Amino acid sequence: MRLRSSSEPILIKKYGNRRLYDTRASSYITLDQLEAIIRRGDDVRVIDAKTSEDLTQATLTQIILESGRAARLLPVTLLQQLIRMDDESLAEFMGRYLSATLEMYLEAKRGAQTVSPFLPMATMPFQAANAIARMWLGAGQAIAPEPQYVPPATTSPAAPPPAPPPDTTAVEVAALRRELDELKTLLRGNKRKT
């Protein structure tokens, strides 16, 4: 992956006919070409050519959904049910689902951290999940590293047991709840526009 040449994102103008215009290259590009620009490490900002409304999030979501990768992960029946829901119901469903899923994940993670002094491999699935999250969030947003258990070089009967790993889950939960609240606000805002 190449490093960005500048700190400014590339400005992409989106026209009513769904055409994308790369202002840096002064040419029209396809959605696939925009994906390639992002994959090589450049940041982009997509705006509506007429209103200057920021369309970055919607366009990046479109890239993910149209690439087929996300489509393979979601069953057709679930997608149909989500489409049938109004924005308010969708926001409520996503909020409850994500909260419940997050709580189960964090509970499992705490359990694995508790037994990690005895089973060092217990936290490996969570380390993999954090690696995937770092990949999706980008290198600029760090996730608290998993505590690593290092067995003492020598053990003696008088040696105290190793201290439990620090609990970073409260910070992670707070960050994820903020993101969830932002998504709910965004969904409610989109409902008002329609």
Side-chain angles (χ1 to χ4, degrees):
M1 180 184 291
R2 97 178 164 74
L3 297 173
R4 291 190 311 254
S5 56
S6 69
S7 61
E8 288 295 314
I10 299 170
L11 183 64
I12 307 293
K13 292 184 178 182
K14 188 171 188 175
Y15 289 88
N17 59 5
R18 294 185 53 155
R19 291 192 74 186
L20 300 169
Y21 184 77
D22 181 347
T23 58
R24 181 187 66 179
S26 299
S27 64
Y28 287 97
I29 60 172
T30 65
L31 207 56
D32 290 338
Q33 290 169 321
L34 179 58
E35 181 180 4
I37 289 170
I38 295 167
R39 283 185 178 275
R40 75 172 181 234
D42 286 312
D43 290 334
V44 298
R45 181 167 175 254
V46 182
I47 62 166
D48 184 286
K50 188 174 183 180
T51 65
S52 296
E53 177 186 359
D54 191 340
L55 302 174
T56 307
Q57 189 174 27
T59 305
L60 298 181
T61 303
Q62 181 183 0
I63 289 172
I64 290 169
L65 293 177
E66 289 186 6
S67 71
R69 291 185 304 255
R72 288 189 301 268
L73 299 175
L74 303 173
V76 171
T77 53
L78 174 63
L79 293 171
Q80 289 172 341
Q81 292 296 331
L82 292 176
I83 290 169
R84 290 178 183 136
M85 293 176 138
D86 62 26
D87 288 342
E88 190 79 19
S89 299
L90 183 60
E92 181 181 348
F93 166 77
M94 293 302 285
R96 286 185 181 178
Y97 172 76
L98 291 175
S99 293
T101 303
L102 176 64
E103 289 300 324
M104 287 187 325
Y105 170 80
L106 293 175
E107 191 173 316
K109 184 176 179 181
R110 282 190 291 271
Q113 288 173 337
T114 302
V115 299
S116 68
F118 310 105
L119 299 168
M121 304 284 272
T123 59
M124 284 187 73
F126 301 102
Q127 293 168 357
N130 281 349
I132 292 169
R134 280 192 300 276
M135 178 183 72
W136 278 98
L137 292 174
Q141 296 182 351
I143 293 177
E146 288 294 322
Q148 299 292 318
Y149 173 72
V150 179
T154 58
T155 57
S156 65
D167 187 17
T168 59
T169 56
V171 174
E172 292 173 2
V173 168
L176 289 169
R177 285 195 174 136
R178 277 193 305 274
E179 288 181 36
L180 184 58
D181 288 338
E182 290 171 8
L183 284 171
K184 286 180 183 177
T185 303
L186 179 68
L187 282 171
R188 287 185 183 119
N190 285 341
K191 180 181 178 186
R192 290 184 191 119
K193 289 180 183 178
T194 58

